[in-house]
Amino acid sequence: MLRRGGALAVGAVAAAGSTALAGCVGRDNGETVENDVDPDDPPLIAHRGFAAENPENTVAAVEAASAVVDRVELDVRRCGTGELVAFHDATLGRVTDATGRVDETPLGRLSELSVEDSGEPVPTLAAALDAAPADAWVMLDLKQRGIAADALSVGADRDLDLAVTADDPAVIEAVSAADPTVQTVYGVHESIPARALRPVIPGPGIGLGAPRWAYPPQDVAGMVETATELGCAAVSPRYELCLRTDLVSRATEAGLRVLPWTVASAREYEAVATAGVDAVVSDVSRGRPET
């Protein structure tokens, strides 16, 4: 892996001959963002439009992320008046100065809010997708049931390479029922004990979580089995699972791509890249100084 100046690999040129998830490796358009990018490094997927750098899930975030990569991930929910919007949480309070549930708030009100005090409103899914360039690869993270068919319909109206991820098998099944040609990605979480222990057990390096010996056992075989049974093209695990378990090797043996989330530094990127993942879901387009 080539790393200079602590930057993450953000080139738009994919590794030649890669068999990664269709579209995930990017377009061979002859352009790179950095001159020192190794084309064999796993490409970046802009998590919520690089959420650490841009107001997440907004039109501005999609535009900014698309200027440096051709892979963007967006969250999708239904608002109170029925439209699909790009928004992660069930409630408004974390990223706006409003309160209440997204599914009880009308679109008119959402359009008046400012995401992270940026002046950017909560966009409809259609507006967010319109901000992506033609032929971009967009992964929609469906955050609730009952929206799969409508989300695919919005995506189908645009010239995009679409994939869908969810951590709920029922949502994956609904996507496949609505359109079997859309590739699906099973979102994989750590067990509850692992989530609880991760912040309090020091790891081998900043941001790299608990050491393998202290990491609670995970049902990795079950994760891979579920993704395979669902007909998924890939799994998208919490990145510690790639470092502390044999998930990457098991998924690869099963013919699944591995797209870990959410990386926020060059150190974390390097660790998962070395583990052999296929692409990296990242909050940052470049490495941040370690603290």
Side-chain angles (χ1 to χ4, degrees):
M1 309 298 168
L2 188 55
R3 286 297 164 279
R4 297 187 190 136
L8 292 179
V10 295
V13 180
S18 172
T19 57
L21 181 68
C24 184
V25 293
R27 301 184 297 275
D28 188 4
N29 58 11
E31 298 177 357
T32 56
V33 177
E34 299 177 35
N35 293 327
D36 61 355
V37 171
D38 186 336
D40 291 326
D41 284 349
L44 291 183
I45 300 169
H47 182 239
R48 307 178 197 170
F50 292 134
E53 301 172 359
N54 306 304
E56 64 176 59
N57 284 315
T58 62
V59 167
V62 175
E63 292 173 343
S66 298
V68 291
V69 297
D70 57 5
R71 310 157 198 87
V72 178
E73 182 262 5
L74 294 169
D75 300 300
V76 185
R77 289 187 175 276
R78 194 183 300 280
C79 72
T81 44
E83 296 88 351
L84 296 183
V85 294
F87 203 84
H88 178 271
D89 299 0
T91 57
L92 297 166
R94 181 177 62 85
V95 297
T96 78
D97 60 3
T99 59
R101 294 183 56 86
V102 175
D103 60 7
E104 296 175 352
T105 305
L107 180 62
R109 172 59 176 152
L110 294 176
S111 66
E112 297 172 346
L113 301 179
S114 174
V115 176
E116 298 172 354
D117 294 322
S118 65
E120 286 289 313
V122 176
T124 62
L125 175 61
L129 292 181
D130 283 342
D135 298 325
W137 185 85
V138 180
M139 183 165 67
L140 301 181
D141 187 350
L142 304 188
K143 309 307 291 186
Q144 62 187 120
R145 297 183 181 184
I147 64 173
D150 287 347
L152 293 180
S153 178
V154 174
D157 290 338
R158 287 148 183 87
D159 189 16
L160 300 169
D161 192 358
L162 200 67
V164 175
T165 186
D167 58 12
D168 181 350
V171 173
I172 298 289
E173 291 171 345
V175 171
S176 298
D179 187 345
T181 68
V182 173
Q183 291 189 313
T184 54
V185 180
Y186 181 40
V188 175
H189 292 266
E190 304 157 288
S191 67
I192 293 175
R195 293 184 220 177
L197 287 173
R198 180 180 359 104
V200 298
I201 300 178
I206 296 170
L208 297 187
R212 185 182 288 265
W213 59 263
Y215 203 65
Q218 308 291 301
D219 183 16
V220 172
M223 298 171 188
V224 171
E225 181 180 2
T226 298
T228 301
E229 291 177 348
L230 289 170
C232 293
V235 290
S236 186
R238 171 83 191 187
Y239 78 86
E240 281 91 351
L241 288 169
C242 299
L243 306 180
R244 310 298 173 218
T245 75
D246 60 353
L247 175 62
V248 174
S249 61
R250 285 180 178 269
T252 300
E253 289 172 3
L256 297 166
R257 304 293 92 188
V258 182
L259 320 177
W261 55 271
T262 303
V263 162
S265 71
R267 183 191 293 258
E268 292 170 1
Y269 176 90
E270 184 69 41
V272 294
T274 301
V277 304
D278 297 283
V280 177
V281 181
S282 178
D283 270 345
V284 294
S285 61
R286 300 171 183 271
R288 297 294 180 84
E290 301 295 347
T291 58

